[in-house]
Amino acid sequence: ACFRLLCSLLIPALFLSGILCVCLVVLLWGIRLWIQQRKKQVLWCAIRTLQKKYKNITCVVYTGDREATGEEIVEGAFRRFNIKLTHPVKFVFLEKRYLVEASLYPHFTLLGQSLGSVFLGWEALLKCVPDIYIDSMGYAFTLPLFKYLGGCRVGCYVHYPTISTDMLSVVRNQATRFNNAAFITNNPLFSKFKLVYYYFFAFMYGLVGSCSDVIMVNSSWTLNHILSLWRAAACTSVVYPPCDVQAFLDIPLEEEESTTEYSIVSISQFRPEKDHPLQIRAFAKLLKEKRLGQQPSLRLILIGGCRNQQDEERVKHLKCLCEELGVSNDVLFRINIPFEELKRHLAEATIGLHTMWNEHFGIGVVECMAAGTVILAHNSGGPKLDIVVPYEGHITGFLAENEDNYAETMAYILSLAPEKRLEIRENARHSVHRFSDQRFEETFLLSVEPLFK
């Protein structure tokens, strides 16, 4: 009898504890690296746009960059993005950013970061309560905090949904990907637990997201998922991120002359989701076919940034893969290169390569198209729905999904007559004006206008 009583008390307690743990993990999952360049670009463009439109507003930026002064941060934005603000910005420096650093939590990282971010958001609110709060960093769980405790009107710019129906599908189908380890996919119990956890998270994510008065998303792909999860269609709109296309449109676009080498260029950080191994394998297959006696020669140039030691190790593994496939002499790695060198590689390239599955938008894809390469991107996400789409009825690039598709399509692009490739490149260039800074400013102002009424 005592055992039955103990079980009747213990089992519900364990279940409740599990639910609470899941809720804690759910809380503020949206923590990513505090500073990410693309999100910064949207931030500074948004501030500049608001200052132009609303002359008397004071813009406040919460930051954990305590090692830099406000003047240095503004100067860095000018150097990196060529964005000059018309009025001063007030910076609120946060002391607890270390609480959201992944390195602080070797185990249960998401739980640790989520708990840490609660304190960080609370610190921000205590130091400055704004009239309007616009989140551009993906901190969805701060929205109810600022709305209901701070009494602010709140808006957000969503670069990507923290969870999506695609992620649920990956776990449900027990598919191994960079964010779904093999030891989970090989264990039905672990997979079921992760699926339940994802559903809990999706539910909570939808609750906090629906608190927004204004929701802006960066692509049609993101729009579809946010509408499904947050269910706030009336206040949701697509605002394409600002792309510095003008810097690439300066590259002369001329018909190709006879050459002894074609270069294929990839631009992306060396992160697992970018799927550089797919690029190398597809290139090796293409190279094997081209070596049957055809000229000119081919070279794959992988351009990207390394953020930390993990990225550097990833590059070492990629170089080992090149050696295994016998293409080391034909693949060039260019790490953290200056912008001018990036432009030079793009000016000389024939094909721009992109392989990330479900890229939420794809600024690198836009940059390749603006530079005049023939783009070959993944048949999913932003590239499929927004970027590599017909422009005025004309083709702007190509899409592929797997190793064979990529190799075949690269071979097809290289087989085209130079004048045909030039036509595709011109179409692509004309189409990218949709993603300019000016277009961002127009759509951003239309979207945030309800916050200022």
Side-chain angles (χ1 to χ4, degrees):
C2 290
F3 178 77
R4 285 198 301 272
L5 178 61
L6 181 62
C7 288
S8 66
L9 295 174
L10 183 59
I11 292 176
L14 289 174
F15 180 78
L16 181 59
S17 298
I19 295 298
L20 290 174
C21 286
V22 170
C23 290
L24 287 173
V25 173
V26 163
L27 188 61
L28 289 158
W29 161 295
I31 296 302
R32 290 292 183 265
L33 293 176
W34 183 261
I35 299 299
Q36 296 183 26
Q37 283 194 7
R38 297 305 185 189
K39 293 181 180 179
K40 276 189 170 182
Q41 186 172 3
V42 169
L43 167 68
W44 295 115
C45 278
I47 291 175
R48 181 181 62 186
T49 303
L50 291 173
Q51 288 183 342
K52 288 180 184 177
K53 173 71 174 178
Y54 303 100
K55 304 298 183 182
N56 297 322
I57 67 167
T58 299
C59 292
V60 178
V61 175
Y62 298 108
T63 178
D65 287 343
R66 292 184 298 152
E67 65 276 7
T69 65
E71 292 77 10
E72 289 171 339
I73 294 173
V74 171
E75 178 61 27
F78 176 70
R79 289 197 312 269
R80 186 173 301 166
F81 306 119
N82 195 32
I83 295 174
K84 192 170 185 62
L85 303 180
T86 58
H87 302 293
V89 172
K90 177 183 176 181
F91 289 91
V92 175
F93 292 91
L94 305 177
E95 299 178 3
K96 295 182 174 60
R97 191 177 77 178
Y98 69 92
L99 292 175
V100 298
E101 298 290 346
S103 58
L104 189 64
Y105 312 102
H107 305 291
F108 301 103
T109 307
L110 291 174
L111 176 61
Q113 286 183 299
S114 297
L115 292 174
S117 65
V118 173
F119 290 100
L120 188 65
W122 181 245
E123 179 193 359
L125 192 58
L126 288 178
K127 287 189 172 181
C128 179
V129 180
D131 296 305
I132 298 171
Y133 172 69
I134 301 177
D135 165 48
S136 66
M137 294 296 293
Y139 295 168
F141 286 82
T142 63
L143 296 171
L145 182 70
F146 276 80
K147 182 169 185 174
Y148 297 118
L149 295 184
C152 314
R153 282 167 283 176
V154 299
C156 59
Y157 186 93
V158 183
H159 294 266
Y160 50 83
T162 306
I163 194 169
S164 67
T165 54
D166 296 309
M167 294 167 65
L168 291 169
S169 177
V170 166
V171 178
R172 189 186 305 111
N173 297 329
Q174 295 183 248
T176 302
R177 288 190 179 271
F178 73 92
N179 58 353
N180 197 36
F183 80 89
I184 292 178
T185 62
N186 294 332
N187 188 307
L189 181 60
F190 286 174
S191 291
K192 285 183 174 59
F193 178 79
K194 186 170 183 178
L195 187 60
V196 170
Y197 156 73
Y198 268 23
Y199 273 114
F200 264 112
F201 176 77
F203 173 74
M204 295 298 294
Y205 184 60
L207 284 181
V208 298
S210 63
C211 295
S212 294
D213 300 305
V214 166
I215 303 167
M216 295 166 282
V217 298
N218 69 339
S219 69
S220 298
W221 184 89
T222 306
L223 174 68
N224 293 335
H225 289 285
I226 289 299
L227 289 179
S228 174
L229 294 164
W230 292 10
R231 301 183 185 280
C235 59
T236 305
S237 59
V238 176
V239 178
Y240 292 128
C243 304
D244 189 12
V245 296
Q246 190 58 50
F248 296 96
L249 293 174
D250 294 339
I251 297 174
L253 194 60
E254 302 169 350
E255 187 169 323
E256 304 166 22
E257 299 178 357
S258 59
T259 179
T260 59
E261 180 181 272
Y262 286 126
S263 66
I264 301 166
V265 171
S266 163
I267 307 174
S268 58
Q269 284 188 330
F270 289 99
R271 305 202 310 260
E273 64 269 24
K274 297 299 183 180
D275 207 352
H276 288 90
L278 173 57
Q279 298 179 6
I280 294 171
R281 290 194 300 269
F283 177 72
K285 180 166 287 192
L286 171 69
L287 203 59
K288 183 178 180 181
E289 296 171 357
K290 294 291 288 182
R291 276 180 174 160
L292 297 177
Q294 297 168 300
Q295 289 294 333
S297 61
L298 302 175
R299 169 168 287 196
L300 174 62
I301 304 174
L302 302 179
I303 301 173
C306 282
R307 304 160 298 172
N308 47 42
Q309 186 177 352
Q310 285 80 7
D311 287 355
E312 293 171 2
E313 287 294 324
R314 197 166 290 115
V315 170
K316 290 181 182 178
H317 289 307
L318 292 173
K319 290 180 177 179
C320 289
L321 177 61
C322 291
E323 292 178 4
E324 292 174 14
L325 298 174
V327 297
S328 294
N329 295 332
D330 305 294
V331 179
L332 177 65
F333 289 83
R334 303 299 296 136
I335 315 296
N336 299 329
I337 63 175
F339 182 70
E340 288 304 314
E341 184 179 347
L342 168 65
K343 283 182 66 175
R344 179 174 59 80
H345 282 300
L346 284 174
E348 298 170 353
T350 301
I351 297 174
L353 197 59
H354 162 276
T355 50
M356 179 176 170
W357 172 72
N358 271 343
E359 176 84 83
H360 312 96
F361 178 69
I363 290 181
V365 176
V366 174
E367 291 173 344
C368 284
M369 293 169 70
T373 68
V374 179
I375 191 67
L376 174 55
H378 199 281
N379 189 28
S380 63
K384 176 183 180 180
L385 297 175
D386 293 302
I387 305 174
V388 191
V389 296
Y391 178 73
E392 296 183 351
H394 301 292
I395 187 172
T396 59
F398 299 88
L399 300 168
E401 294 183 12
N402 54 46
E403 182 182 320
D404 289 335
N405 291 158
Y406 274 98
E408 292 166 3
T409 308
M410 283 189 286
Y412 173 74
I413 294 171
L414 295 172
S415 71
L416 293 173
E419 56 269 21
K420 180 60 178 177
R421 281 199 295 267
L422 178 60
E423 180 185 328
I424 295 171
R425 294 159 62 205
E426 288 175 339
N427 295 336
R429 265 212 171 164
H430 292 147
S431 73
V432 298
H433 288 289
R434 298 172 293 147
F435 312 118
S436 65
D437 286 0
Q438 181 180 357
R439 183 59 181 158
F440 169 81
E441 291 183 2
E442 294 169 358
T443 53
F444 177 78
L445 284 175
L446 284 174
S447 297
V448 300
E449 188 176 2
L451 296 176
F452 290 85
K453 289 181 177 178

PDB file of all heavy atoms in Angstrom, residues 63 113 175 179 193 246 257 281 300 314 331 376 381 413 424 430 437:
ATOM      1  N   THR A  63      22.959  46.670 -25.776  1.00  0.00           N
ATOM      2  CA  THR A  63      24.135  45.959 -26.265  1.00  0.00           C
ATOM      3  C   THR A  63      24.931  45.374 -25.105  1.00  0.00           C
ATOM      4  O   THR A  63      24.957  45.933 -24.001  1.00  0.00           O
ATOM      5  CB  THR A  63      25.046  46.886 -27.099  1.00  0.00           C
ATOM      6  OG1 THR A  63      26.203  46.166 -27.521  1.00  0.00           O
ATOM      7  CG2 THR A  63      25.496  48.102 -26.294  1.00  0.00           C
ATOM      8  N   GLN A 113      21.236  28.757 -21.427  1.00  0.00           N
ATOM      9  CA  GLN A 113      21.114  30.021 -22.147  1.00  0.00           C
ATOM     10  C   GLN A 113      19.727  30.638 -21.973  1.00  0.00           C
ATOM     11  O   GLN A 113      19.592  31.862 -21.874  1.00  0.00           O
ATOM     12  CB  GLN A 113      21.396  29.797 -23.630  1.00  0.00           C
ATOM     13  CG  GLN A 113      22.864  29.569 -23.956  1.00  0.00           C
ATOM     14  CD  GLN A 113      23.090  29.435 -25.448  1.00  0.00           C
ATOM     15  OE1 GLN A 113      22.555  28.523 -26.078  1.00  0.00           O
ATOM     16  NE2 GLN A 113      23.869  30.335 -26.007  1.00  0.00           N
ATOM     17  N   ALA A 175      15.239  11.659 -39.363  1.00  0.00           N
ATOM     18  CA  ALA A 175      16.271  11.984 -40.349  1.00  0.00           C
ATOM     19  C   ALA A 175      17.471  12.601 -39.645  1.00  0.00           C
ATOM     20  O   ALA A 175      17.323  13.446 -38.762  1.00  0.00           O
ATOM     21  CB  ALA A 175      15.723  12.952 -41.397  1.00  0.00           C
ATOM     22  N   ASN A 179      21.320  19.324 -36.993  1.00  0.00           N
ATOM     23  CA  ASN A 179      20.645  19.649 -35.745  1.00  0.00           C
ATOM     24  C   ASN A 179      19.802  18.490 -35.226  1.00  0.00           C
ATOM     25  O   ASN A 179      18.929  18.690 -34.400  1.00  0.00           O
ATOM     26  CB  ASN A 179      19.781  20.904 -35.915  1.00  0.00           C
ATOM     27  CG  ASN A 179      18.752  20.742 -37.023  1.00  0.00           C
ATOM     28  OD1 ASN A 179      18.761  19.746 -37.743  1.00  0.00           O
ATOM     29  ND2 ASN A 179      17.871  21.718 -37.149  1.00  0.00           N
ATOM     30  N   PHE A 193      10.795  11.558 -27.619  1.00  0.00           N
ATOM     31  CA  PHE A 193      10.943  12.581 -26.584  1.00  0.00           C
ATOM     32  C   PHE A 193      11.278  13.936 -27.217  1.00  0.00           C
ATOM     33  O   PHE A 193      10.718  14.966 -26.831  1.00  0.00           O
ATOM     34  CB  PHE A 193      12.046  12.189 -25.603  1.00  0.00           C
ATOM     35  CG  PHE A 193      12.276  13.223 -24.531  1.00  0.00           C
ATOM     36  CD1 PHE A 193      11.439  13.314 -23.429  1.00  0.00           C
ATOM     37  CD2 PHE A 193      13.336  14.120 -24.642  1.00  0.00           C
ATOM     38  CE1 PHE A 193      11.645  14.282 -22.451  1.00  0.00           C
ATOM     39  CE2 PHE A 193      13.543  15.089 -23.669  1.00  0.00           C
ATOM     40  CZ  PHE A 193      12.704  15.166 -22.572  1.00  0.00           C
ATOM     41  N   GLN A 246      24.575  47.392 -54.515  1.00  0.00           N
ATOM     42  CA  GLN A 246      25.265  48.393 -55.333  1.00  0.00           C
ATOM     43  C   GLN A 246      26.761  48.111 -55.401  1.00  0.00           C
ATOM     44  O   GLN A 246      27.398  48.324 -56.436  1.00  0.00           O
ATOM     45  CB  GLN A 246      25.015  49.794 -54.770  1.00  0.00           C
ATOM     46  CG  GLN A 246      25.491  50.914 -55.685  1.00  0.00           C
ATOM     47  CD  GLN A 246      24.836  50.841 -57.064  1.00  0.00           C
ATOM     48  OE1 GLN A 246      23.611  50.727 -57.168  1.00  0.00           O
ATOM     49  NE2 GLN A 246      25.641  50.885 -58.116  1.00  0.00           N
ATOM     50  N   GLU A 257      35.133  36.119 -72.383  1.00  0.00           N
ATOM     51  CA  GLU A 257      36.129  35.832 -73.409  1.00  0.00           C
ATOM     52  C   GLU A 257      36.611  34.396 -73.221  1.00  0.00           C
ATOM     53  O   GLU A 257      36.361  33.759 -72.207  1.00  0.00           O
ATOM     54  CB  GLU A 257      37.297  36.818 -73.288  1.00  0.00           C
ATOM     55  CG  GLU A 257      36.879  38.268 -73.472  1.00  0.00           C
ATOM     56  CD  GLU A 257      38.043  39.221 -73.298  1.00  0.00           C
ATOM     57  OE1 GLU A 257      39.150  38.743 -72.977  1.00  0.00           O
ATOM     58  OE2 GLU A 257      37.843  40.439 -73.475  1.00  0.00           O
ATOM     59  N   ARG A 281      31.606  17.360 -52.854  1.00  0.00           N
ATOM     60  CA  ARG A 281      31.283  16.091 -53.511  1.00  0.00           C
ATOM     61  C   ARG A 281      30.714  16.317 -54.911  1.00  0.00           C
ATOM     62  O   ARG A 281      31.048  15.599 -55.862  1.00  0.00           O
ATOM     63  CB  ARG A 281      30.294  15.292 -52.656  1.00  0.00           C
ATOM     64  CG  ARG A 281      30.886  14.745 -51.367  1.00  0.00           C
ATOM     65  CD  ARG A 281      29.963  13.690 -50.753  1.00  0.00           C
ATOM     66  NE  ARG A 281      28.641  14.251 -50.431  1.00  0.00           N
ATOM     67  CZ  ARG A 281      28.323  14.793 -49.270  1.00  0.00           C
ATOM     68  NH1 ARG A 281      29.238  14.864 -48.307  1.00  0.00           N
ATOM     69  NH2 ARG A 281      27.119  15.264 -49.051  1.00  0.00           N
ATOM     70  N   LEU A 300      37.048  25.229 -57.733  1.00  0.00           N
ATOM     71  CA  LEU A 300      36.041  25.579 -56.742  1.00  0.00           C
ATOM     72  C   LEU A 300      36.701  26.448 -55.673  1.00  0.00           C
ATOM     73  O   LEU A 300      37.716  26.054 -55.086  1.00  0.00           O
ATOM     74  CB  LEU A 300      35.454  24.329 -56.097  1.00  0.00           C
ATOM     75  CG  LEU A 300      34.476  24.533 -54.935  1.00  0.00           C
ATOM     76  CD1 LEU A 300      33.236  25.292 -55.388  1.00  0.00           C
ATOM     77  CD2 LEU A 300      34.091  23.197 -54.300  1.00  0.00           C
ATOM     78  N   ARG A 314      36.252  22.537 -38.699  1.00  0.00           N
ATOM     79  CA  ARG A 314      35.364  22.161 -39.801  1.00  0.00           C
ATOM     80  C   ARG A 314      36.086  22.334 -41.142  1.00  0.00           C
ATOM     81  O   ARG A 314      35.960  21.497 -42.036  1.00  0.00           O
ATOM     82  CB  ARG A 314      34.102  23.019 -39.738  1.00  0.00           C
ATOM     83  CG  ARG A 314      32.932  22.476 -40.536  1.00  0.00           C
ATOM     84  CD  ARG A 314      31.651  23.177 -40.155  1.00  0.00           C
ATOM     85  NE  ARG A 314      31.229  22.802 -38.812  1.00  0.00           N
ATOM     86  CZ  ARG A 314      31.158  23.630 -37.793  1.00  0.00           C
ATOM     87  NH1 ARG A 314      31.473  24.893 -37.943  1.00  0.00           N
ATOM     88  NH2 ARG A 314      30.761  23.201 -36.614  1.00  0.00           N
ATOM     89  N   VAL A 331      40.504  22.809 -55.359  1.00  0.00           N
ATOM     90  CA  VAL A 331      39.641  23.516 -54.410  1.00  0.00           C
ATOM     91  C   VAL A 331      40.483  24.500 -53.610  1.00  0.00           C
ATOM     92  O   VAL A 331      41.495  24.121 -53.011  1.00  0.00           O
ATOM     93  CB  VAL A 331      38.927  22.540 -53.454  1.00  0.00           C
ATOM     94  CG1 VAL A 331      38.054  23.311 -52.459  1.00  0.00           C
ATOM     95  CG2 VAL A 331      38.086  21.543 -54.233  1.00  0.00           C
ATOM     96  N   LEU A 376      23.595  28.972 -58.668  1.00  0.00           N
ATOM     97  CA  LEU A 376      23.059  27.624 -58.511  1.00  0.00           C
ATOM     98  C   LEU A 376      22.826  27.434 -57.020  1.00  0.00           C
ATOM     99  O   LEU A 376      23.775  27.261 -56.249  1.00  0.00           O
ATOM    100  CB  LEU A 376      24.024  26.569 -59.050  1.00  0.00           C
ATOM    101  CG  LEU A 376      23.632  25.103 -58.804  1.00  0.00           C
ATOM    102  CD1 LEU A 376      22.244  24.795 -59.350  1.00  0.00           C
ATOM    103  CD2 LEU A 376      24.665  24.163 -59.414  1.00  0.00           C
ATOM    104  N   GLY A 381      13.584  26.994 -49.259  1.00  0.00           N
ATOM    105  CA  GLY A 381      13.695  28.231 -48.514  1.00  0.00           C
ATOM    106  C   GLY A 381      13.597  29.490 -49.351  1.00  0.00           C
ATOM    107  O   GLY A 381      12.922  29.554 -50.383  1.00  0.00           O
ATOM    108  N   ILE A 413      25.307  24.459 -67.015  1.00  0.00           N
ATOM    109  CA  ILE A 413      25.635  25.893 -67.063  1.00  0.00           C
ATOM    110  C   ILE A 413      26.920  26.124 -67.855  1.00  0.00           C
ATOM    111  O   ILE A 413      27.008  27.039 -68.684  1.00  0.00           O
ATOM    112  CB  ILE A 413      25.773  26.453 -65.634  1.00  0.00           C
ATOM    113  CG1 ILE A 413      24.422  26.419 -64.916  1.00  0.00           C
ATOM    114  CG2 ILE A 413      26.317  27.888 -65.662  1.00  0.00           C
ATOM    115  CD1 ILE A 413      24.505  26.739 -63.431  1.00  0.00           C
ATOM    116  N   ILE A 424      21.339  35.298 -68.772  1.00  0.00           N
ATOM    117  CA  ILE A 424      20.881  34.889 -67.440  1.00  0.00           C
ATOM    118  C   ILE A 424      21.452  35.816 -66.375  1.00  0.00           C
ATOM    119  O   ILE A 424      20.753  36.230 -65.434  1.00  0.00           O
ATOM    120  CB  ILE A 424      21.288  33.423 -67.166  1.00  0.00           C
ATOM    121  CG1 ILE A 424      20.565  32.479 -68.134  1.00  0.00           C
ATOM    122  CG2 ILE A 424      20.975  33.036 -65.717  1.00  0.00           C
ATOM    123  CD1 ILE A 424      21.071  31.055 -68.087  1.00  0.00           C
ATOM    124  N   HIS A 430      19.105  42.498 -62.876  1.00  0.00           N
ATOM    125  CA  HIS A 430      17.933  43.357 -62.860  1.00  0.00           C
ATOM    126  C   HIS A 430      16.993  42.983 -61.711  1.00  0.00           C
ATOM    127  O   HIS A 430      16.332  43.853 -61.126  1.00  0.00           O
ATOM    128  CB  HIS A 430      17.188  43.253 -64.196  1.00  0.00           C
ATOM    129  CG  HIS A 430      17.960  43.847 -65.336  1.00  0.00           C
ATOM    130  ND1 HIS A 430      17.889  43.343 -66.620  1.00  0.00           N
ATOM    131  CD2 HIS A 430      18.839  44.878 -65.383  1.00  0.00           C
ATOM    132  CE1 HIS A 430      18.682  44.053 -67.410  1.00  0.00           C
ATOM    133  NE2 HIS A 430      19.268  44.994 -66.685  1.00  0.00           N
ATOM    134  N   ASP A 437      18.768  48.639 -50.341  1.00  0.00           N
ATOM    135  CA  ASP A 437      18.533  49.396 -49.109  1.00  0.00           C
ATOM    136  C   ASP A 437      17.289  50.272 -49.237  1.00  0.00           C
ATOM    137  O   ASP A 437      16.503  50.410 -48.285  1.00  0.00           O
ATOM    138  CB  ASP A 437      19.742  50.285 -48.795  1.00  0.00           C
ATOM    139  CG  ASP A 437      20.932  49.479 -48.284  1.00  0.00           C
ATOM    140  OD1 ASP A 437      20.809  48.251 -48.183  1.00  0.00           O
ATOM    141  OD2 ASP A 437      21.972  50.091 -47.987  1.00  0.00           O
TER     142      ASP A 437
END
